[in-house]
C-alpha cells in the first residue's frame, strides 16, 4: 500500500524587473536553514548547462555538489536533460508576448501540455533542492513574469510570488551602468545595458504583468525602498508570506550592531545561485542601505523620459507621494 502523496514543493518566486534588490533579499532569506535559495533558475538552461558558469558558491555548475545532487534527483542526472528541447519549449512558453495567453482561465490541450511540461521541469528542480537541503521553501529569483505565469499552471506546486518593485528612475540608472559578470569563467562578459526608454517599457510591462497575476495567484507586493528602510521587518514579513516562522538568525550576515563594538557579524552562507547580481559572490557581512545615487547621477533628460513613461505605476506605488505602497496580499 502506497503512502500519502508528498506535499507539493513550496516556492517563493521573486518577480519584477532586475536591479530592484532581489539578490540582496534572497541572500538574507538564504541564511535560514529552512530556506533554499537557488538564484535565477530561468537562466539555468543556457548559463549553467550551456556555459558551465560559476554557482554562487564559487564552483562551476558541473563541479558544484549541490547542483549535481539536484540533477540526479530531478532528472537522473543533467545529462538526461535535452537542453535544445528545453530551450525550444521555453521559446514556445516563457516569453513576455505569451503572457496574455498564459493569463487565460483555460488553454487548448496542445498549449496546456507544453506549459505543464515546461513548468514540471522547474517543479522537479524545486522538489529536488528541498530534498537535498532539507529546507521547507525554495527561493527562485528569476523575476520574469512570463515564467511566473507558466508556473501557475504547474501540477503539484505551491507557488507564492513576491512582486518586488523599485522607483523606475533608480532602475533606469542602474541598467545604464556596465557591470561585469564574475560567474563567467572563460573570458570576460558584462550584463546588458538598456536606454532609459527601454527600461521604462520593461519596467511598465513587467510590473503590470504582476498586477494581472495577482488576480490568479498568491502575490505579495514589496517596495525596494521599504525593504532597505526595514530589512529585519521585511524578512519577517516575507517569511510569514512563505509560511515560515520568524527567525532572527536570518539577519546574521548583516553588519554588527553599531552600539556593540565587540559584536562580530557571522560569516554568510553563500547560496547555490545559478545566476543573479554579482553581490551573490560576496563573502563578507552586508550592510543594507538604500542606493540613491540616481538622484545626482541620472541625467535630467533621462529622468524626464523615465518619469513620464512610467507615471501611472509610479503614482500607484507611492513614488509621487500621492499614494502609499500597496502592502496587501492579493489572492485569486
Amino acid at each position: 500500500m502506497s503512502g500519502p502523496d508528498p506535499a507539493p514543493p513550496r516556492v517563493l518566486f521573486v518577480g519584477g524587473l532586475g536591479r530592484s534588490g532581489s539578490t540582496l533579499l534572497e541572500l538574507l532569506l538564504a541564511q535560514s536553514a529552512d530556506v533554499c535559495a537557488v538564484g535565477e533558475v530561468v537562466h539555468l538552461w543556457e548559463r549553467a548547462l550551456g556555459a558551465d558558469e560559476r554557482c554562487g558558491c564559487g564552483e562551476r555548475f558541473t563541479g558544484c555538489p549541490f547542483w549535481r545532487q539536484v540533477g540526479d534527483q530531478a532528472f537522473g542526472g543533467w545529462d538526461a536533460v535535452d537542453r535544445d528541447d528545453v530551450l525550444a519549449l521555453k521559446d514556445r512558453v516563457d516569453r513576455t508576448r505569451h503572457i496574455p495567453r498564459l493569463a487565460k482561465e483555460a488553454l487548448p490541450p496542445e498549449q496546456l501540455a507544453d506549459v505543464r511540461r515546461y513548468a514540471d521541469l522547474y517543479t522537479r528542480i524545486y522538489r529536488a533542492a528541498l530534498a537535498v537541503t532539507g529546507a521547507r521553501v525554495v527561493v527562485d529569483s528569476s523575476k520574469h513574469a512570463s515564467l511566473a505565469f507558466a508556473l501557475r499552471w504547474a501540477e503539484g506546486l505551491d507557488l507564492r510570488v513576491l512582486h518586488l518593485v523599485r522607483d523606475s528612475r533608480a532602475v533606469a540608472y542602474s541598467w545604464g551602468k556596465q557591470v561585469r559578470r564574475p560567474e563567467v569563467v572563460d573570458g570576460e562578459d558584462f550584463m546588458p545595458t538598456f536606454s532609459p526608454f527601454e527600461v521604462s517599457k520593461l519596467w511598465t510591462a513587467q510590473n503590470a504583468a504582476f498586477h494581472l497575476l495577482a488576480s490568479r495567484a498568491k502575490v505579495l507586493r514589496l517596495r525596494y525602498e521599504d525593504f532597505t528602510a526595514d530589512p529585519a521587518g521585511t524578512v519577517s514579513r516575507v517569511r510569514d508570506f512563505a509560511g515560515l516562522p520568524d527567525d532572527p538568525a536570518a539577519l546574521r550576515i548583516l553588519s554588527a550592531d553599531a552600539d556593540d563594538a565587540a559584536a562580530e557579524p557571522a560569516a554568510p552562507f553563500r547560496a547555490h545561485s545559478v545566476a543573479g547580481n554579482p553581490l551573490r559572490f560576496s563573502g563578507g557581512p552586508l550592510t543594507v542601505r538604500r542606493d540613491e545615487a540616481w538622484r545626482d547621477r541620472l541625467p535630467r533628460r533621462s529622468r524626464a523620459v523615465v518619469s513620464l513613461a512610467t507615471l501611472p505605476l509610479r503614482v500607484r506605488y507611492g513614488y509621487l507621494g500621492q499614494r502609499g505602497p500597496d502592502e496587501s496580499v492579493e489572492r485569486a
Side-chain angles (χ1 to χ4, degrees):
M1 181 176 179
S2 61
D5 292 336
R10 188 184 310 163
V11 58
L12 179 67
F13 184 95
V14 183
L17 189 59
R19 311 295 175 91
S20 297
S22 62
T23 299
L24 177 57
L25 179 58
E26 183 181 31
L27 283 174
L28 292 181
L29 293 169
Q31 301 313 301
S32 298
D34 53 9
V35 173
C36 173
V38 291
E40 301 174 5
V41 186
V42 70
H43 297 304
L44 182 149
W45 319 109
E46 294 177 286
R47 298 183 184 177
L49 284 181
D52 198 19
E53 293 182 350
R54 289 191 180 97
C55 167
C57 71
E59 296 287 341
R60 281 182 181 253
F61 180 78
T62 54
C64 175
F66 168 79
W67 284 111
R68 281 204 302 269
Q69 292 179 69
V70 169
D72 289 343
Q73 293 219 18
F75 305 108
W78 292 110
D79 289 343
V81 177
D82 186 336
R83 196 174 71 91
D84 291 336
D85 177 66
V86 173
L87 291 175
L89 180 62
K90 183 176 185 290
D91 190 63
R92 296 197 302 271
V93 173
D94 187 1
R95 290 289 184 269
T96 300
R97 63 179 180 270
H98 299 322
I99 288 177
R101 182 182 68 194
L102 294 170
K104 293 180 179 179
E105 294 299 325
L107 293 175
E110 184 176 349
Q111 293 178 356
L112 179 61
D114 267 355
V115 174
R116 284 195 167 152
R117 185 161 74 90
Y118 182 69
D120 180 63
L121 295 169
Y122 291 83
T123 301
R124 289 187 182 198
I125 291 172
Y126 301 147
R127 188 184 299 280
L130 292 176
V132 169
T133 62
R136 295 173 58 187
V137 172
V138 174
V139 179
D140 180 351
S141 57
S142 290
K143 288 183 282 297
H144 295 191
S146 53
L147 175 55
F149 270 92
L151 291 176
R152 70 175 276 261
W153 291 97
E155 296 180 298
L157 180 67
D158 182 353
L159 175 66
R160 308 185 185 202
V161 178
L162 179 66
H163 175 197
L164 187 60
V165 301
R166 186 182 183 186
D167 191 310
S168 55
R169 297 161 295 185
V171 175
Y173 170 71
S174 184
W175 276 111
K177 296 188 294 184
Q178 191 173 64
V179 178
R180 190 175 70 86
R181 297 180 61 231
E183 62 266 39
V184 175
V185 180
D186 302 315
E188 189 174 47
D189 194 17
F190 296 85
M191 291 184 172
T193 58
F194 297 105
S195 71
F197 184 64
E198 289 174 317
V199 172
S200 297
K201 291 191 296 182
L202 293 169
W203 187 89
T204 299
Q206 288 295 308
N207 288 316
F210 282 104
H211 281 279
L212 178 61
L213 182 64
S215 64
R216 292 156 172 76
K218 296 176 182 177
V219 176
L220 173 68
R221 192 167 303 123
L222 171 68
R223 298 197 320 172
Y224 161 88
E225 293 79 10
D226 298 328
F227 161 43
T228 53
D230 182 15
T234 295
V235 169
S236 177
R237 181 178 167 217
V238 171
R239 284 180 58 86
D240 180 68
F241 175 66
L244 297 172
D246 201 10
D247 179 14
L251 300 175
R252 66 177 179 267
I253 59 169
L254 294 175
S255 297
D257 191 331
D259 294 331
D260 185 358
E264 289 289 339
F269 168 76
R270 291 173 64 174
H272 292 286
S273 50
V274 293
N277 190 284
L279 176 67
R280 64 200 176 98
F281 292 103
S282 173
L286 300 174
T287 299
V288 179
R289 57 173 174 264
R290 189 180 307 177
D291 179 1
E292 298 213 305
W294 67 271
R295 294 188 180 276
D296 298 321
R297 299 177 185 174
L298 184 65
R300 181 175 299 180
R301 180 181 177 85
S302 298
R303 183 184 301 206
V305 167
V306 178
S307 296
L308 182 61
T310 62
L311 181 61
L313 285 180
R314 284 200 305 116
V315 172
R316 180 163 189 169
Y317 298 147
Y319 291 127
L320 295 185
Q322 298 178 15
R323 184 173 180 177
D326 180 356
E327 296 184 342
S328 63
V329 174
E330 303 177 50
R331 303 180 185 274

